[in-house]
Amino acid sequence: MGLNPFNTLFGVFSRDLGIDLGTANTMVYVRGKGIVISEPSVVAIDTRTKKVHAVGAEAKAMVGKTPANIVAVRPLKDGVIADFDVVEQMLAYFIKKAHAYAALPLVDPRPRVVVGVPSGVTDVEKRAAREAALNAKAREAFVVEEPMAAAIGAGLPVEEPIGSMIVDIGGGTTEIAVIALGGIVINHSIRIAGDEIDEAIIQFARREYNLLIGERMAEKAKIAAGSAYPLDEEIKVVLRGRDLLTGLPKAIEVSSVELREGIAGPVNAIVAEVRAALEETPPELVADIMEHGIMLAGGGSLLHGLDKRIAAETRMPVHVAQDPLSCVARGAGKMVEHFDNSVYQDILMRTQTTRRVRR
């Protein structure tokens, strides 16, 4: 596609994009403008005509509230494309929306795109992400591993001979990486993250209170009162759903202590994986991490007390990145801002090839 003269012509009027194609949310960074789009990775589709009714925030508002012929779907599962056609349409929508305020809005955009993907994906899954971007009218598409993009976005010195550890907890995957000299030295990727914490809250409500709640209610409870470490002042939250015994609406009040026990499974798995990655890290890099600390990124890092829990378990200083939700998008954005940077070019070229990751 890069040799197509029309792509080159339209590329003059396009703005390069860095895209965090997340399981829960998609963020788009536009070169020269910063992050302009941050919306849920949800698409509402008519099952009879296959027509897209809504994308992003508008589609998420429809979850669980649509008529029989319209379904609101999340086309990414565990950070991987589960429905290629829907992801393609979603990307096309976001690319077009990102160019809505361009100087020549009538010109069909043909941007260069850098897409963040989980480090544990296969070559086939990387190719699917690239092809989805190309079919969504990108003139060039590159993939970058999310922990590397998150580290760049968090401001870690990835190109220097200093060991940096990043823990990126998204919706579908948790990415743990030790980075030095522009490369990933140790990399663990597990498909346990925010979605599994939501599911643990749903199972907790069902098991302890015979209460059936939805995904949105579980997510609200997680944000409001979910925690990984005892809080200075424990919080209470109301869960609303359907009583499984009577079939009638029911509301119950639960404390952050109960929720902490309910989500202990996925939280323990994430902490254990961080420890496992540290155990594999060369001693010189461990010394650097002890000095500079572990950086947390992604929406899951906002779970109350998670930084304190990891610090207690690893005996390392732990920091939460500034605006952790946007780290991957900002990292991909820095790459599109500086496409000519030799370090970034090396990172992008290496990402296109296979590298074994522990999962």
Side-chain angles (χ1 to χ4, degrees), residues 11-280:
V12 174
F13 304 104
S14 301
R15 292 181 178 272
D16 296 335
L17 306 177
I19 300 178
D20 174 12
L21 192 61
T23 305
N25 295 286
T26 295
M27 289 191 177
V28 181
Y29 182 107
V30 177
R31 180 169 55 83
K33 288 192 172 183
I35 294 173
V36 298
I37 294 173
S38 176
E39 295 195 30
S41 303
V42 182
V43 181
I45 301 175
D46 189 317
T47 55
R48 292 178 299 197
T49 64
K50 303 300 181 185
K51 180 182 176 182
V52 173
H53 273 260
V55 178
E58 187 181 349
K60 186 172 183 179
M62 299 180 180
V63 172
K65 303 176 182 179
T66 57
N69 63 306
I70 296 177
V71 292
V73 298
R74 291 171 63 178
L76 291 110
K77 178 68 175 172
D78 296 331
V80 175
I81 294 175
D83 190 323
F84 184 86
D85 293 334
V86 176
V87 167
E88 187 180 308
Q89 293 183 71
M90 185 175 75
L91 275 175
Y93 168 84
F94 286 135
I95 288 174
K96 186 175 181 181
K97 187 172 181 179
H99 285 81
Y101 302 103
L104 294 174
L106 296 179
V107 175
D108 203 14
R110 291 286 193 276
R112 287 187 296 188
V113 174
V114 174
V115 181
V117 297
S119 57
V121 300
T122 64
D123 267 3
V124 173
E125 291 161 345
K126 285 180 186 177
R127 198 177 310 120
R130 279 200 300 270
E131 289 180 1
L134 291 171
N135 290 342
K137 298 186 177 179
R139 78 179 188 275
E140 285 184 273
F142 303 90
V143 294
V144 61
E145 291 170 323
E146 286 177 356
M148 178 61 79
I152 293 170
L156 295 180
V158 297
E159 71 279 1
E160 295 179 17
I162 298 172
S164 301
M165 188 172 200
I166 184 85
V167 180
D168 179 25
I169 308 166
T173 60
T174 293
E175 310 282 330
I176 303 158
V178 177
I179 297 169
L181 288 170
I184 295 178
V185 181
I186 300 295
N187 195 6
H188 286 210
S189 177
I190 58 171
R191 294 185 177 181
I192 298 174
D195 286 351
E196 283 67 29
I197 295 175
D198 293 345
E199 181 60 30
I201 292 174
I202 292 172
Q203 295 304 322
F204 157 78
R206 188 184 191 112
R207 182 177 63 250
E208 299 296 329
Y209 294 99
N210 289 313
L211 180 70
L212 181 63
I213 63 173
E215 291 178 8
R216 294 183 69 189
M217 186 74 253
E219 185 181 24
K220 285 181 181 178
K222 175 184 71 178
I223 293 169
S227 63
Y229 198 76
L231 303 176
D232 295 335
E233 186 175 338
E234 300 294 349
I235 311 165
K236 290 189 176 181
V237 67
V238 175
L239 299 181
R240 295 181 178 88
R242 186 173 76 240
D243 192 316
L244 288 169
L245 299 178
T246 66
L248 298 175
K250 179 181 176 182
I252 55 120
E253 188 177 69
V254 298
S255 71
S256 51
V257 177
E258 292 176 276
L259 283 181
R260 188 157 59 244
E261 293 172 359
I263 65 175
V267 170
N268 290 344
I270 291 169
V271 173
E273 201 65 29
V274 173
R275 293 187 58 168
L278 280 171
E279 288 170 7
E280 291 183 21

